[in-house]
Amino acid sequence: MRRHLDHGVTVALMLAAGVAGAQLTPGSVGTGSSPSSGTGSAPVPSTPGATPAPETPNQGTPGSDAPTTVPGTGAPGGTRPTPRVGTGGRDLPPSPPGIAPSSIEETPGSSQPGRAISPAPALEPSAEAEQVKEGVTGAPDSEEKPARREPLTLARLVARAREADSRVEEATAELRKFQALYQQARWAWFPKFEITVGAGGPTPEARNDGLGGPPTTEATYKGDLNFGRVGVTMFSTGNAVLPLYTFGKLTALEKAGAQGPVLGAALRERTRNEVGFQAAQAYFGYQLARNGLQQIEEVSKRLEDAGQRIERLLKEDSAQVSAVDSYKVRFFRQIVEARRAEALQGRQFALAAIGLLANVGPEDAVTVVDEDLELEEDVPVPSLEQALVRAEQSRPELTAVAAGIAAREQEVFIRERSYYPDLGLAGFYDVRFTTSTTRQRTPFAFDPYNDRTGGVGLVMRGTFDIPIKDAQLEQARAELDKLRAQEKQIRAGIRLEVSKVHGELVAAWSRARAFGEAERSARRWVTAAFTAFDLGTGDTRDLVDAFTAYAQASGDKGKSWHDVRVGMAALARVTGAPLAPGE
């Protein structure tokens, strides 16, 4: 009997296995961890994937009842248990009612409750009315209730995380940058106007007959310090070139720029999928820790009943038990209390992660609905072939690498056409005016002070740095070949990742069904063993064996259903598309 009780001390606490599941580990899938993204992520700029360890937020009071919802992000569909509202912590007592300012009191025995009466001696009716008015204005409104935040369901949590997480905001900013680059590529044909405007002085006097003749004033002659009536000069010059034909380079540049928004949107969707999966991990981790605490409470109650029964039998000098049984039960109860502390810490950590992913303020309470991990009905898991097809069609990494390849192909085309010149329409003007000079009216006289020229014409522009162009073309072709090789690696990595996650989900379903049946059988065994122990027909050996089996089956069942729910979310992430009901 004692040997079996020793065995029960080490085995019956399998409920604590759920505590480890409550620790949020980004990337964990099922019973293992998700495969590394080294072979399954696009070779494009990515957002940080690590989530910093958040501080533990304060627990909020339970919110209002929430309707039954079907958890999103990876849940293939099917019937879901009805969630119950709660924060996972112990119920807090209701807050005290609002108290009016100290200058206002309730008149004892007053027939009009809520009317504020001054405790001072009787005043004139008008003065008393004014005092009552001022007091009521300053008193808090007892009918106004503070707004209560709705508790987070899985769907609401995932939606908030996909929109409010800082990594998503970073990816959105990156998408805006790609959109701006695309606009820049679209307007690459627009002429670049180079305009210069200036003024300066003083300028010496320069006077003649306006036809290029000799100077008409003494100050106009050079070689002395007589500058005459000095003035200022103002000028403006400008030029621009409008491309007319570039042998397809401008069109290729616009096509390459159009791939930028596609790439940015795919990167943002990949970030959203990762954040949504981490939100599902935190949500189900919280539910696992909460269910584990409930099971620990049940274990504690049964241990307390067994301990009381053993103490009573010891007082009766029954040969059915001994003092050693009492010591072992006490030891067992202390171990359960230690596991309770670990489960509480896991629940608090899950709440902190939920608050961080949902972008909840540090002063706001995090409330989460209470939901059973066990599904009431089996949800058919899609076949591996269906999951692979979904991943090939919907994974944002494949969209991103395809956009990158298209952009690189256009870059190679531009480098190939860089040997050809560009044809365009050029225009220019030059306007100058000086206050101390005579404007020349004949075109044969040089006039740098009052020039007015302008014109348009066809131009051809190009360079003859052929060796440099050859090197640039070879670099572009090498980058294209590199990206195509990376695409093959990404596709292979995605297939491997989908196969791993799908296999873990199928195995988790099998474990959940088996442990569910084992838990029901163990529950009947415990009931029968306790009944026999109370009647005196059973010994502690049967009781400990039944209790050990029940505790182990309950812990394994909770962990397996946690793996099922997380595996569904993981399968949605690796396929890149929500699972449709019935698949």
Side-chain angles (χ1 to χ4, degrees):
M1 181 270 294
R2 293 183 177 86
R3 290 194 303 270
H4 286 78
L5 195 55
D6 287 333
H7 179 68
V9 171
T10 58
V11 179
L13 291 177
M14 294 301 294
L15 295 174
V19 177
Q23 309 294 327
L24 175 62
T25 304
S28 62
V29 179
T31 57
S33 59
S34 65
S36 172
S37 59
T39 59
S41 61
V44 288
S46 60
T47 55
T51 304
E55 296 180 358
T56 302
N58 295 332
Q59 297 182 15
T61 55
S64 58
D65 292 338
T68 304
T69 59
V70 178
T73 309
T79 305
R80 298 288 189 271
T82 302
R84 297 182 297 277
V85 180
T87 60
R90 298 179 179 176
D91 295 337
L92 299 178
S95 59
I99 302 177
S102 57
S103 61
I104 301 175
E105 298 179 351
E106 293 287 341
T107 302
S110 174
S111 60
Q112 299 179 359
R115 181 181 179 186
I117 305 297
S118 172
L123 305 175
E124 293 294 331
S126 59
E128 182 178 2
E130 290 295 328
Q131 185 172 355
V132 170
K133 179 180 178 180
E134 294 175 0
V136 172
T137 302
D141 188 1
S142 59
E143 296 180 357
E144 184 179 357
K145 297 181 179 180
R148 301 175 64 183
R149 184 183 299 274
E150 293 185 5
L152 293 173
T153 61
L154 176 60
R156 189 179 295 118
L157 172 60
V158 170
R160 289 187 59 176
R162 286 173 61 89
E163 295 298 328
D165 189 84
S166 59
R167 288 166 292 174
V168 177
E169 294 177 354
E170 181 182 356
T172 301
E174 190 74 12
L175 172 59
R176 290 171 50 202
K177 185 189 78 172
F178 283 120
Q179 291 172 342
L181 291 174
Y182 174 48
Q183 293 299 322
Q184 180 179 348
R186 287 185 58 192
W187 288 93
W189 62 269
F190 194 80
K192 181 181 180 181
F193 293 91
E194 296 182 359
I195 299 176
T196 303
V197 178
T203 56
E205 183 178 340
R207 304 289 182 180
N208 68 355
D209 59 0
L211 299 177
T216 57
T217 62
E218 186 67 23
T220 304
Y221 289 97
K222 296 182 179 182
D224 54 22
L225 298 179
N226 184 7
F227 299 109
R229 182 177 293 180
V230 296
V232 294
T233 182
M234 295 167 285
F235 65 92
S236 176
T237 61
N239 63 81
V241 177
L242 174 65
L244 296 179
Y245 188 72
T246 61
F247 294 92
K249 284 180 284 209
L250 283 178
T251 303
L253 180 62
E254 182 177 353
K255 291 180 180 179
Q259 302 302 320
V262 177
L263 175 63
L267 292 178
R268 184 175 66 173
E269 185 62 23
R270 183 188 67 173
T271 303
R272 283 178 171 176
N273 291 344
E274 183 65 27
V275 169
F277 173 65
Q278 291 181 0
Q281 276 187 306
Y283 178 85
F284 292 126
Y286 166 80
Q287 302 298 344
L288 178 61
R290 184 187 60 81
N291 291 341
L293 285 173
Q294 292 178 350
Q295 294 173 357
I296 288 176
E297 291 293 338
E298 182 179 357
V299 170
S300 299
K301 182 63 171 61
R302 291 183 178 273
L303 282 175
E304 183 178 357
D305 294 342
Q308 293 176 356
R309 172 66 174 172
I310 290 175
E311 292 294 335
R312 182 168 57 85
L313 292 176
L314 287 176
K315 292 180 180 180
E316 297 175 356
D317 295 332
S318 173
Q320 186 180 0
V321 296
S322 66
V324 176
D325 297 330
S326 177
Y327 301 151
K328 290 184 177 181
V329 170
R330 292 177 185 175
F331 172 77
F332 208 171
R333 293 174 63 180
Q334 294 303 318
I335 295 297
V336 170
E337 290 299 320
R339 297 297 182 264
R340 187 200 309 275
E342 294 179 0
L344 286 172
Q345 188 273 337
R347 186 184 64 180
Q348 288 297 103
F349 184 79
L351 284 174
I354 290 173
L356 176 66
L357 292 167
N359 199 15
V360 178
E363 302 298 332
D364 297 333
V366 179
T367 57
V368 184
V369 298
D370 293 344
E371 180 179 350
D372 292 334
L373 292 173
E374 182 177 2
L375 297 174
E376 296 179 359
E377 296 181 0
D378 287 349
V379 179
V381 179
S383 64
L384 179 59
E385 289 74 17
Q386 290 176 324
L388 290 174
V389 170
R390 283 184 180 275
E392 289 285 342
Q393 296 174 350
S394 305
R395 277 295 287 264
E397 290 88 347
L398 295 178
T399 303
V401 73
I405 290 176
R408 289 293 184 186
E409 290 175 345
Q410 298 302 320
E411 181 186 2
V412 171
F413 178 84
I414 293 173
R415 294 300 182 187
E416 291 173 346
R417 296 301 176 92
S418 65
Y419 296 94
Y420 300 95
D422 299 332
L423 302 179
L425 181 66
F428 72 97
Y429 76 91
D430 189 350
V431 178
R432 299 176 183 272
F433 174 73
T434 305
T435 60
S436 60
T437 64
T438 301
R439 182 177 179 273
Q440 305 301 305
R441 292 173 291 171
T442 173
F444 300 101
F446 176 66
D447 189 0
Y449 303 103
N450 298 281
D451 193 17
R452 292 179 177 87
T453 59
V456 294
L458 294 175
V459 297
M460 181 177 67
R461 181 173 56 187
T463 60
F464 293 93
D465 50 345
I466 305 300
I468 295 179
K469 291 183 184 338
D470 291 341
Q472 291 175 343
L473 176 59
E474 184 61 26
Q475 291 176 18
R477 288 173 175 171
E479 290 292 339
L480 177 59
D481 293 339
K482 175 183 176 182
L483 200 55
R484 285 172 175 168
Q486 290 177 345
E487 182 188 22
K488 297 178 182 179
Q489 297 175 9
I490 290 173
R491 291 185 180 276
I494 287 176
R495 293 184 63 87
L496 179 62
E497 188 178 21
V498 172
S499 301
K500 179 179 182 297
V501 172
H502 184 272
E504 290 176 347
L505 178 57
V506 172
W509 266 109
S510 301
R511 291 196 306 272
R513 296 188 186 98
F515 285 130
E517 292 294 332
E519 193 264 349
R520 284 187 285 271
S521 299
R523 183 183 294 273
R524 301 188 189 99
W525 185 7
V526 167
T527 302
F530 265 91
T531 302
F533 186 78
D534 288 337
L535 296 176
T537 58
D539 56 11
T540 55
R541 174 180 178 178
D542 295 336
L543 180 63
V544 169
D545 288 345
F547 181 77
T548 301
Y550 173 70
Q552 182 176 358
S554 297
D556 292 339
K557 173 188 172 184
K559 186 63 172 61
S560 60
W561 277 112
H562 168 269
D563 294 341
V564 168
R565 302 298 289 273
V566 173
M568 290 179 177
L571 187 61
R573 179 181 65 86
V574 298
T575 56
L579 301 179
E583 293 189 357

